[in-house]
Amino acid sequence: MRRFLRQNSLGLVFGVLFLLALVGQAFAGHADYNDQLRSDGLAEVSLGRYLTSASFAVDVAENWQSEYLQFFLFVTLTVWLVQRGSPESKPLDAVGREPDADQHVGEHARADSPAWARARGWRLGVYSNSLGLVMGLIFLLSWLVQSVAGAAAYNEEQLRRLQDPVPWGAYLLEADFWNRTLQNWQSELLAVASMAILSIYLRQRGSPESKPVGSAHDTTGVEG
Amino acid sequence: MTRRLLLAVAACGLAATAGCAHPDERGDAAAAVARQLAEAATAGDGATACALLAPDTRAELESSAGTPCAAAIGAEDLPAPAAVTAVDVYGESARVVTATDTVFLGTFPGGWRVVAAGCTGRGDGRPYDCALQGG
């Protein structure tokens, strides 16, 4: 058990931190939602009712979609884009999808390679892109949820202000939808750019996200 | 685990579009309250009409009229009951549109209560102009 925890500590710790943050968001969001209801002269709602509200759903989904977009772009664009000196980049001469021999696929598969890496045709094609595909799919689903829940939350506010609700299609053109979307995208894109650039010059000893402390600034594609 | 949670939130988000709990029933209940208000106001039953108002709406009416709600609501000349043409329910708020009126409601411990009535649209995305509404 202890061995299992140690060998999976990265995923487990982040999973627990995620749940703690989500619980914290639920309580803070509930208090904020009730503040708004009170100021509009309406009755407060229970935590359970808030957790099934569009307001909570859109606040969660708008952050999720941007995170998965970030990883989708990072995973796929780093196939072709490189950054000299960054451990987040592959070597400058390895741009592209790389030869089968380097990727251990098809006839170059090893004994312990996943079955679909040994396969040919669509299975190899899907598996070769599965990380990006799943990240992209979760991004699209999260963005869809954001749009649907966002329309409902927006319309609830519209009704509170004695204004007409708008259909989902019209909401996609509303400033509220794009403000929620772009404010998350900009922060994720800044974080990726910062990581790619700062890791050229700065080090974190022992971290695989950093180059070894003594590596030269122009050493590319080396992780510590 | 993350994907399962995503799907749970996705499902709730989709359901939340209509309030996440029996949207038809909630809409019907809101329409019923709007109709009861119109019927009571038209019949001169001020006590019943006032019991259907949200607290802030009732307080605003009494404050602006300077008389108890039951006496003041008759002077608001609310439209007579008419067929419901549209009902929108989003979270804790609803809008009921009839052939003669647009009514806004909110949820309270006793059920739907009227936040604003006797409303007419002003266009250009501006709030409705209502004969009866909270402060």
Side-chain angles (χ1 to χ4, degrees):
Chain A
M1 183 62 172
R2 181 172 287 182
R3 187 162 172 246
F4 172 82
L5 292 176
R6 190 169 55 245
Q7 291 185 347
N8 296 280
S9 55
L10 185 60
L12 289 170
V13 166
F14 272 91
V16 169
L17 289 175
F18 158 71
L19 290 176
L20 290 174
L22 188 62
V23 169
Q25 181 192 344
F27 281 102
H30 178 230
D32 183 49
Y33 188 68
N34 273 339
D35 281 347
Q36 294 171 31
L37 288 173
R38 219 170 20 246
S39 70
D40 287 336
L42 299 173
E44 297 181 11
V45 298
S46 67
L47 178 63
R49 189 162 183 87
Y50 170 68
L51 293 180
T52 56
S53 72
S55 180
F56 180 64
V58 68
D59 286 350
V60 170
E62 74 173 46
N63 285 280
W64 286 19
Q65 59 88 3
S66 66
E67 301 298 338
Y68 284 99
L69 173 65
Q70 175 194 48
F71 281 113
F72 167 71
L73 291 176
F74 198 51
V75 165
T76 55
L77 292 184
T78 48
V79 174
W80 292 281
L81 305 181
V82 292
Q83 180 63 54
R84 184 184 183 90
S86 176
E88 301 299 331
S89 167
K90 60 165 75 176
L92 303 179
D93 58 358
V95 170
R97 291 171 55 78
E98 303 180 13
D100 286 358
D102 293 351
Q103 291 290 316
H104 314 304
V105 296
E107 64 188 30
H108 303 284
R110 295 168 170 172
D112 59 353
S113 293
W116 282 30
R118 264 194 297 278
R120 299 284 187 178
W122 69 270
R123 283 186 297 172
L124 178 59
V126 168
Y127 193 63
S128 297
N129 297 285
S130 53
L131 185 58
L133 283 171
V134 168
M135 291 291 182
L137 183 62
I138 298 177
F139 156 65
L140 289 175
L141 286 174
S142 303
W143 203 20
L144 174 64
V145 171
Q146 180 202 320
S147 71
V148 173
Y154 178 79
N155 282 336
E156 183 178 3
E157 291 180 16
Q158 286 286 102
L159 295 185
R160 276 193 227 159
R161 293 192 295 256
L162 309 183
Q163 292 176 285
D164 286 322
V166 299
W168 176 73
Y171 176 70
L172 298 183
L173 301 176
E174 286 286 344
D176 182 80
F177 175 67
W178 287 103
N179 184 37
R180 284 181 180 275
T181 296
L182 292 172
Q183 68 172 288
N184 282 282
W185 286 5
Q186 59 85 11
S187 65
E188 302 305 334
L189 296 172
L190 175 66
V192 171
S194 299
M195 189 67 192
I197 303 295
L198 292 177
S199 60
I200 297 172
Y201 305 103
L202 306 178
R203 308 285 187 269
Q204 187 63 50
R205 184 169 181 158
S207 174
E209 303 307 314
S210 164
K211 294 191 284 192
V213 178
S215 288
H217 291 331
D218 61 356
T219 300
T220 307
V222 177
E223 295 183 340
Chain B
M1 178 168 62
T2 300
R3 287 189 69 194
R4 272 210 303 259
L5 279 168
L6 172 70
L7 292 174
V9 171
C12 186
L14 292 168
T17 315
C20 222
H22 310 297
D24 289 343
E25 290 177 18
R26 298 186 76 211
D28 290 346
V33 170
R35 180 171 188 84
Q36 288 164 22
L37 175 69
E39 289 174 345
T42 304
D45 183 357
T48 299
C50 288
L52 297 170
L53 298 182
D56 277 16
T57 305
R58 181 179 178 140
E60 176 65 20
L61 174 61
E62 291 180 334
S63 173
S64 60
T67 58
C69 177
I73 197 165
E76 296 301 323
D77 202 21
L78 293 178
V84 173
T85 57
V87 178
D88 299 288
V89 177
Y90 292 101
E92 309 308 310
S93 296
R95 181 187 70 161
V96 176
V97 182
T98 72
T100 56
D101 195 8
T102 298
V103 180
F104 291 87
L105 304 99
T107 54
F108 289 85
W112 289 107
R113 292 294 179 264
V114 174
V115 171
C119 302
T120 52
R122 294 190 290 183
D124 296 332
R126 292 192 298 163
Y128 278 68
D129 182 28
C130 302
L132 191 61
Q133 70 179 77

